[in-house]
Amino acid sequence: MSLIVQKYGGTSVGDADRIRNVANRIIATRKAGNDVVVVVSAMGDTTDDLIKLAYQVSEKPSERELDVLLSTGEIVASTLLAMSLKSLGCDAISLSGAQAGIQTDANHNKAKILNIEPSRIVSELKKGCVIIVAGFQGVTKESDVTTLGRGGSDTTAVALAAILGAKVCERYTDVEGIYTADPRAVPEATKLKEISYDEMLELATYGSKVMHPRAVELGQIYNIPILVASSFNDHPGTLIHGGPMEIRNKVTAITQDMDVAKITIVGVPDKPGIAASIFEPLAKACVSVDTIVQNASIKNITDLTFTVAKGDAEKALRVVNPIAAKIGARECLADTRLAKVSIIGCGMQNTPGYAATMFSTLYAAGVNIQLITTSEIRITVIIAEDKAKEAVRALHKAFELEKE
Ligand code: ADP
Ligand code: ASP
Ligand code: MG
């Protein structure tokens, strides 16, 4: 028997009927001759609701308690799915992250998996059970429950696939695969048959919520193919893999990330050590800084701009304001109404013209570009958030990604 790891997202287990639908899909996978380990997300909007509740009782909820609270969402879904499978005559057992042997560091709310001790899973599989693991969670060596960051159930699934030697990790969700843009924002987006780990990692990091970035990284490191498909039908999905790929001489996909704020320190004296004096305290305050741009200086005075998540903007200003005063900078400005739009594709490597098309398309759409960053297979612009949707659609059209 070969082993398949399947992951079902929150919408796919959103109510009792949907849980029964998932149970039937698992039974069909078993009947096809596979052992199955399943990872589930919390039902529907459970995680959002639990976070809201936490903030109703506390301005700054304890990170430890918050992790225990959030982990219960996935536990509810896993137990219900196990009950549903049993009622349909299929042996099944639910396991929390800790019971499944998922050990993490102690970085609450964004923990990293350090190791998986799979003996319980293996022994239950030997008994012929389907294993349902509560996603998005683990346990520290001090036995404290941790969570892996929003969307982290994907990472649980790929990590289990790697440790158990599964032939594939199937990730079932509410869309039929990876599209050339978010199909909810761009109805003319097309489904891709396949995509490389490198491209998917850029997509995931630059705003496409359909895969947790760490899951893609683990897939690439352990060479686990990941199939993204719908839990509501059997249409072919998208395979994320590292093998030879059909050559695609165009942009693969366009993403948008609405969670962007920009901080600019104006009139910074240009001398050694200044950047360190700003970014070290930010790191200590756990503010994760993204794009950093420093202008060429004029008369030894420059501007320094960086972006952070919107929720971190206030904290970043609190850290940076006193430093700016101390080093003699003129002022600090923040803009929290920004978005990032990226074009991504291996086809862009060594081919000129993509940047020119991107910028002229945005100009024609009346979109002002505030910052630009690139990797070998990505060009990102930072623009006003109210222009993001329009920008994505214009670029999708300009790069000829729409349905024929
Ligand atoms: P799940 O609950 O199954 O984990 P998510 O909501 O995390 O599902 O991810 C699926 C969603 O990702 C889709 O509903 C879709 O709106 C969004 N998405 C964003 N970009 C893309 C893309 N390029 N292709 C497919 N889906 C995308
Ligand atoms: N339930 C968690 C979230 O909403 C984890 C996940 O769904 O992957 O972020
Ligand atoms: Mg998700």
Side-chain angles (χ1 to χ4, degrees):
M1 279 236 241
S2 54
L3 175 75
I4 293 182
V5 173
Q6 298 187 328
K7 182 249 164 174
Y8 291 92
T11 316
S12 305
V13 293
D15 60 31
D17 282 342
R18 288 181 174 178
I19 289 177
R20 212 167 301 117
N21 167 58
V22 166
N24 282 317
R25 294 181 70 97
I26 293 167
I27 289 170
T29 312
R30 268 198 68 82
K31 285 201 174 133
N34 303 291
D35 276 334
V36 193
V37 172
V38 178
V39 174
V40 282
S41 285
M43 295 169 70
D45 296 329
T46 304
T47 309
D48 290 331
D49 295 343
L50 291 173
I51 292 174
K52 268 186 221 140
L53 259 179
Y55 279 89
Q56 280 167 18
V57 296
S58 162
E59 250 174 48
K60 196 174 176 300
S62 140
E63 291 185 334
R64 179 193 179 276
E65 302 306 327
L66 190 61
D67 268 355
V68 181
L69 177 71
L70 296 190
S71 71
T72 62
E74 270 65 15
I75 290 177
V76 169
S78 65
T79 54
L80 291 173
L81 181 55
M83 288 176 204
S84 176
L85 279 162
K86 280 169 180 277
S87 80
L88 294 167
C90 175
D91 250 351
I93 181 168
S94 70
L95 297 175
S96 68
Q99 289 173 316
I102 299 176
Q103 297 158 3
T104 73
D105 61 24
N107 226 332
H108 283 290
N109 309 154
K110 43 182 176 299
K112 275 222 165 100
I113 297 177
L114 298 176
N115 186 30
I116 300 183
E117 208 294 284
S119 54
R120 179 74 190 269
I121 296 184
V122 171
S123 75
E124 296 295 343
L125 276 175
K126 278 198 188 125
K127 291 183 207 159
C129 270
V130 169
I131 322 291
I132 317 288
V133 178
F136 167 64
Q137 57 187 271
V139 68
T140 65
K141 59 178 188 314
E142 280 79 32
S143 305
D144 278 322
V145 172
T146 52
T147 63
L148 309 179
R150 297 307 304 267
S153 297
D154 297 341
T155 297
T156 307
V158 179
L160 282 170
I163 195 93
L164 298 168
K167 63 175 182 186
V168 62
C169 178
E170 299 176 345
R171 187 227 184 280
Y172 290 106
T173 182
D174 53 6
V175 288
E176 287 182 14
I178 308 295
Y179 284 71
T180 49
D182 184 344
R184 292 185 202 287
V186 184
E188 52 289 3
T190 339
K191 186 169 53 177
L192 301 164
K193 273 202 203 83
E194 57 175 359
I195 185 166
S196 66
Y197 293 119
D198 285 335
E199 290 172 311
M200 192 63 226
L201 191 56
E202 296 273 16
L203 248 80
T205 312
Y206 284 83
S208 161
K209 297 273 182 295
V210 63
M211 280 294 299
H212 194 231
R214 182 77 185 136
V216 186
E217 253 168 32
L218 289 180
Q220 181 159 35
I221 293 168
Y222 294 100
N223 201 19
I224 307 288
I226 306 167
L227 176 75
V228 179
S230 169
S231 63
F232 300 107
N233 62 45
D234 292 322
H235 297 173
T238 304
L239 192 67
I240 308 169
H241 68 106
M245 201 122 331
E246 224 173 77
I247 293 173
R248 207 187 281 132
N249 278 324
K250 57 184 198 177
V251 167
T252 300
I254 306 197
T255 61
Q256 68 193 73
D257 178 355
M258 306 303 286
D259 190 13
V260 184
K262 179 180 82 170
I263 312 276
T264 303
I265 313 173
V266 185
V268 179
D270 187 6
K271 56 182 186 202
I274 290 284
S277 73
I278 293 166
F279 291 107
E280 271 172 11
L282 282 168
K284 274 210 190 101
C286 284
V287 175
S288 165
V289 173
D290 189 49
T291 309
I292 302 174
V293 181
Q294 182 183 313
N295 285 340
S297 62
I298 300 173
K299 291 189 185 153
N300 283 332
I301 298 287
T302 184
D303 293 345
L304 201 108
T305 300
F306 58 91
T307 60
V308 295
K310 283 185 171 130
D312 277 345
E314 254 185 58
K315 194 170 170 192
L317 270 183
R318 272 202 306 275
V319 173
V320 164
N321 265 326
I323 302 170
K326 200 163 136 202
I327 60 178
R330 189 138 39 93
E331 60 180 333
C332 294
L333 306 171
D335 185 348
T336 54
R337 286 159 307 166
L338 297 175
K340 258 183 231 165
V341 170
S342 308
I343 62 171
I344 290 154
C346 287
M348 284 165 36
Q349 251 162 336
N350 309 322
T351 317
Y354 286 98
T357 306
M358 182 178 197
F359 303 153
S360 58
T361 304
L362 293 172
Y363 172 59
V367 179
N368 182 40
I369 302 170
Q370 301 202 15
L371 295 172
I372 302 169
T373 67
T374 61
S375 79
E376 280 184 15
I377 60 166
R378 172 184 53 80
I379 305 173
T380 300
V381 293
I382 292 174
I383 61 176
E385 69 179 3
D386 58 357
K387 294 281 185 185
K389 209 167 169 184
E390 206 179 322
V392 170
R393 289 189 81 165
L395 291 168
H396 198 266
K397 192 161 195 300
F399 288 106
E400 298 175 347
L401 300 178
E402 68 269 68
K403 287 181 192 134
E404 323 251 272

